[in-house]
Amino acid sequence: MTTSTTSATSDTAPVRFDTKIAVVLRDDLQPWQRLNVTAFLVSGLGSELPEVIGEPYADADGTPYLPMFRQPVLVFEGTKETLTAAHSRALSRALPRAVFTSDLFTTGNDRDNRAAVRAVPKDQLDLVGLAVYGPRNAVDKVIKGARMHP
């Protein structure tokens, strides 16, 4: 599967990706929670899916910077029910995903975060965020009902 296509052969032509990175946040989160959840969720995608990471950056002086995602991350919001439905659709399509539950706001480290998620069956997770990656059309179907984050 190709991960991007261009409409022309020029290096300056716009890039159109046939994959999508989407984050869906619950619409009742505080602003700091939205930022925190988004950062945690996308870190999961970047760590497990090397194809989503671009090349390292450097400024004009040659100072190196870490690579970032090679494509935009689209952020959406929805109700608790929207998140639950999106989670079920992501699972049924076996798309790579990351979850953030309300319990993770009370933990302070990765070990406790993993234990909090592990303690709850998948259909009972109190989701506040979901990140998903895959073919554009499949991701669009997963996040159906969510709206672009304002």
Side-chain angles (χ1 to χ4, degrees), residues 6-81:
T6 56
S7 58
T9 58
S10 167
D11 286 341
T12 60
V15 176
R16 180 170 162 84
F17 295 96
D18 60 3
T19 57
K20 184 180 261 185
I21 298 171
V23 173
V24 183
L25 303 171
R26 204 163 75 192
D27 59 6
D28 61 350
L29 296 180
Q30 296 297 312
W32 73 266
Q33 291 173 317
R34 291 171 184 258
L35 295 171
N36 184 269
V37 170
T38 300
F40 269 92
L41 288 171
V42 297
S43 72
L45 295 178
S47 66
E48 288 295 311
L49 302 165
E51 68 270 21
V52 302
I53 303 297
E55 297 296 321
Y57 286 70
D59 60 28
D61 299 319
T63 307
Y65 300 97
L66 295 172
M68 296 186 279
F69 288 123
R70 63 178 181 80
Q71 68 187 88
V73 175
L74 301 172
V75 182
F76 299 83
E77 69 174 7
T79 63
K80 181 176 183 171
E81 294 78 19

Side-chain angles (χ1 to χ4, degrees), residues 79-110:
T79 63
K80 181 176 183 171
E81 294 78 19
T82 300
L83 268 169
T84 299
H87 179 248
S88 293
R89 290 189 292 259
L91 291 172
S92 72
R93 287 172 171 75
L95 292 177
R97 69 226 160 250
V99 296
F100 197 104
T101 68
S102 62
D103 295 331
L104 303 188
F105 290 127
T106 63
T107 59
N109 60 72
D110 185 53

Side-chain angles (χ1 to χ4, degrees), residues 83-142:
L83 268 169
T84 299
H87 179 248
S88 293
R89 290 189 292 259
L91 291 172
S92 72
R93 287 172 171 75
L95 292 177
R97 69 226 160 250
V99 296
F100 197 104
T101 68
S102 62
D103 295 331
L104 303 188
F105 290 127
T106 63
T107 59
N109 60 72
D110 185 53
R111 180 195 65 227
D112 292 342
N113 286 351
R114 285 182 284 109
V117 173
R118 190 180 311 112
V120 181
K122 69 178 172 276
D123 60 343
Q124 294 177 24
L125 293 170
D126 185 17
L127 296 169
V128 298
L130 171 73
V132 63
Y133 171 75
R136 252 192 347 237
N137 291 342
V139 172
D140 287 343
K141 289 176 183 173
V142 165

